[in-house]
């Protein structure tokens, strides 16, 4: 079957796609369901049109040997990605906003005074140091709610941590072994707390996540619906992830999970299919106890918990508010290993006898949503295959699919244009070409290895905690991963150059030259992402626009904060600045006078280093980490991001 076209039709289709894309991106509102449906039909229709043409017109017969095998394997993984994308477009037509219910619930709870249900706060820790744990524990103690009991669940059995918890007046538990990893630790806390505080609700926090003051008042009202057993809130980070940091885009490109947390989970919630993400959630003690405790059969107990509760008729609700902040993976190795673990956990749950694919008690929509989540991981190898495909063509004449540049422009380019407009629109600038692809590409290497190994040994692997708080003061090149992209880049350049020098400018060559150019850009950005740049600050800084005063002896001057951290602050410079190294006292709102020393000053700012005791430090933690300002980008700033990337790549652009 051959799909007809001519050059005039091609220009008309591309022009119309551009016109509709620009118009919808400019005038449609992603918060209106009809607009999401309309734009989704355009983007999805163009993608489906491409998929039909791709299936009918671009596949070879079986007589080409390995070339045919490669072409069909490439096609299968491409179709997996397309099916995932089409399903995502359908899911995102709906969206649920639980903030009005949270508002009503908070009003009821505050009106009830102290006559509210108690909450146990579980902080699961394995090997995190005190610098990380202190923030989480102090912020948990500062939660604005009448009945809160904090439990530190220590799976490393540290005596110093037990003593610290006693000093702070929080509960401490340990167990003799680490069986079933985090799930086993939570179950131990569930059992021990039942004999003491036995609160009807449990807030679960990872060791590096600091709860905001109002988290319980905001969340607990959603349990008024008897179907709700778990309320999940999004993860926000107060440090840049490795991709943001290594590409110099901390203030101009969002962390990789923002689309999932801010856009996709609210849409899944509208289908009653949001799921637990492991931290910053509140769960009903009765529901999880009746279910037999947190499930232990997978390295990802979070999504398994949601589906375990689903079998009993319960749902997970998503409250899309910033009610906790935590540490993202700081190094690239930890970042990609974390994604590999998530992939493995998803596959493990799918294989379980009582899981959403094989078990009973699930709705069809539950199973379909789980399959959709699996496709996210199964489609990852396609990104790597897209980089390898031009290399196979240049050196062996093996094509990924068989067509002409004109036909691809007619069928493929409109689909790309439609999605390039739709993606940033539906996510409200949380996707960005090159950055989005590189973020997925770097993780794809580890995910592909996980998928292959899981085919042979899906179970029996140890749970690996994501290491945080390590020394990040030096440049670290991850040669194993970077070497893969460097090798591909060299082969692409040599193959393309050799073809051009031989003056072979056939249609296939022109098509693959365009493909190669895109692959080279992605390879270069991926190589840059594989270089962990130093993180010289021991404490992250946060914007802090508050009035202040400082004292040196009997002299007192007014000023204003620019930013603040646990270790110091920057103030606007005034007249008569103190000398470098001079001691002074700085008035911090809600904390008091804090002893400090002048670290440096410039024409615009005075930078001071705090010299605090434990009591003052804890008050600073309450100020900064219990009501944390945004210090990392939550929406993309495209021009700034691309200029920073160009500068890092050695091009002479300014990021100003």
């Amino acid at each position: 079957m051959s799909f007809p076209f001519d050059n005039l039709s091609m220009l008309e289709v591309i022009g119309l796609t551009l016109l509709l894309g620009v118009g919808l991106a400019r005038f449609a509102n992603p918060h209106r369901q009809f607009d999401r449906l309309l734009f989704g039909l355009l983007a999805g229709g163009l993608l489906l049109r491409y998929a039909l043409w791709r299936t009918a017109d671009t596949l070879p017969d079986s007589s080409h040997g390995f070339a045919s095998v490669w072409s069909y394997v490439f096609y299968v993984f491409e179709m997996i990605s397309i099916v995932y994308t089409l399903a995502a477009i359908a899911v995102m037509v709906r969206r649920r906003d639980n903030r009005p219910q949270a508002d009503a619930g908070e009003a009821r709870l505050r009106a009830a005074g102290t006559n509210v249900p108690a909450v146990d706060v579980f902080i699961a820790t394995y090997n995190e140091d005190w610098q990380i744990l202190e923030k989480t524990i102090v912020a948990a103690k500062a939660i604005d709610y009448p009945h809160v009991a904090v439990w530190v669940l220590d799976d490393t059995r540290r005596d110093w941590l037990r003593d610290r918890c006693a000093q702070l007046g929080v509960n401490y538990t340990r167990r003799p072994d680490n069986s079933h990893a985090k799930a086993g630790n939570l179950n131990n806390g569930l059992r021990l707390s039942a004999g003491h505080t036995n609160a009807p609700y449990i807030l679960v926090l990872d060791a590096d996540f600091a709860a905001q003051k109002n988290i319980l008042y905001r969340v607990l009202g959603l349990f008024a619906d008897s179907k709700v057993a778990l309320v999940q809130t999004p993860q926000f980070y107060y440090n840049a992830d490795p991709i943001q940091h290594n590409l110099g885009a901390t203030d101009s490109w969002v962390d990789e999970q923002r689309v999932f947390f801010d856009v996709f989970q609210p849409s899944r919630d509208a289908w009653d299919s949001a799921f637990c993400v492991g931290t910053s959630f509140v769960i009903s003690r009765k529901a999880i106890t009746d279910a037999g405790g947190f499930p232990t059969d997978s390295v990802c107990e979070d999504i398994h918990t949601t589906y375990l509760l689903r079998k009993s008729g319960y749902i997970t609700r998503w409250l899309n508010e910033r009610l906790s902040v935590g540490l993202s993976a700081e190094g690239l190795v930890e970042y990609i290993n974390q994604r590999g673990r998530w992939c493995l956990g998803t596959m493990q749950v799918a294989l379980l006898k009582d899981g959403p694919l094989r078990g009973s008690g699930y709705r069809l929509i539950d199973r379909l949503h789980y399959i959709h989540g699996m496709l996210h991981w199964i489609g990852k190898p396609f990104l790597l295959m897209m980089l390898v495909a031009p290399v196979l063509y240049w050196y062996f004449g093996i094509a990924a699919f068989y067509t002409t540049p004109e036909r691809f422009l007619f069928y493929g380019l409109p689909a790309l244009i439609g999605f390039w407009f739709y993606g940033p629109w539906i996510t409200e600038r949380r996707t960005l070409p090159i950055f989005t692809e590189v973020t997925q590409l770097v993780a794809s290497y580890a995910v592909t290895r996980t998928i292959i190994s899981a085919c042979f040994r899906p179970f029996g692997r140890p749970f690996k905690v994501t290491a945080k708080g390590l020394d990040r003061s030096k440049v670290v090149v991850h040669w194993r991963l970077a070497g893969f992209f460097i090798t591909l880049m060299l082969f692409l350049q040599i193959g393309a150059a050799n073809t051009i020098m031989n003056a072979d400018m056939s249609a296939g060559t022109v098509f693959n030259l365009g493909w190669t150019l895109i692959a080279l850009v992605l390879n270069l950005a991926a190589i840059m992402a594989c270089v962990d740049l130093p993180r010289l600050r021991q404490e992250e800084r946060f914007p802090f626009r508050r009035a202040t005063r400082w004292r040196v002896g009997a002299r007192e001057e007014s000023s204003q904060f620019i930013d603040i951290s646990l270790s110091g602050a920057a103030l606007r410079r005034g007249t008569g600045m103190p000398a470098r190294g001079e001691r002074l006292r700085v008035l911090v709102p809600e904390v008091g006078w804090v002893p400090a020393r002048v670290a440096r000053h410039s024409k615009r700012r005075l930078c001071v280093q705090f010299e605090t005791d434990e009591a003052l430090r804890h008050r600073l933690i309450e100020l900064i980490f219990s009501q944390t300002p945004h210090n990392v980008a939550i929406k993309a700033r495209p021009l700034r991001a691309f200029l920073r990337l160009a500068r890092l790549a050695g091009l002479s652009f300014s990021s100003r």
Side-chain angles (χ1 to χ4, degrees), residues 74-104:
F74 188 94
Y75 166 78
V76 167
F77 278 95
E78 184 180 11
M79 288 303 111
I80 289 172
S81 298
I82 287 175
V83 169
Y84 172 80
T85 302
L86 290 172
I89 291 172
V91 169
M92 288 189 292
V93 169
R94 300 179 66 183
R95 188 178 294 177
R96 183 182 176 94
D97 182 2
N98 289 309
R99 287 176 297 177
Q101 292 91 325
D103 291 341

Side-chain angles (χ1 to χ4, degrees), residues 49-68:
R49 172 179 176 266
Y50 166 78
L52 292 173
W53 165 75
R54 179 80 170 85
T55 302
D57 229 21
T58 67
L59 296 172
D61 57 48
S62 58
S63 63
H64 292 73
F66 176 77
S68 296

Side-chain angles (χ1 to χ4, degrees), residues 132-198:
I132 292 174
L133 279 167
E134 183 184 29
K135 300 180 181 74
T136 304
I137 296 171
V138 171
K141 288 189 62 185
I143 290 174
D144 177 22
Y145 193 76
H147 309 302
V148 176
V150 178
W151 291 79
V152 176
L153 317 180
D154 180 18
D155 243 5
T156 323
R157 296 168 286 282
R158 293 161 287 184
D159 291 342
W160 64 263
L161 180 54
R162 177 198 60 202
D163 297 340
R164 289 272 193 172
C165 289
Q167 293 169 9
L168 290 174
V170 301
N171 301 285
Y172 172 89
T173 71
R174 62 170 62 174
R175 55 191 181 131
D177 57 38
N178 301 106
S179 58
H180 303 303
K182 181 181 175 182
N185 195 12
L186 291 174
N187 285 331
N188 185 57
L190 190 67
R191 179 180 60 83
L192 292 176
S193 63
H196 294 80
T197 48
N198 197 33

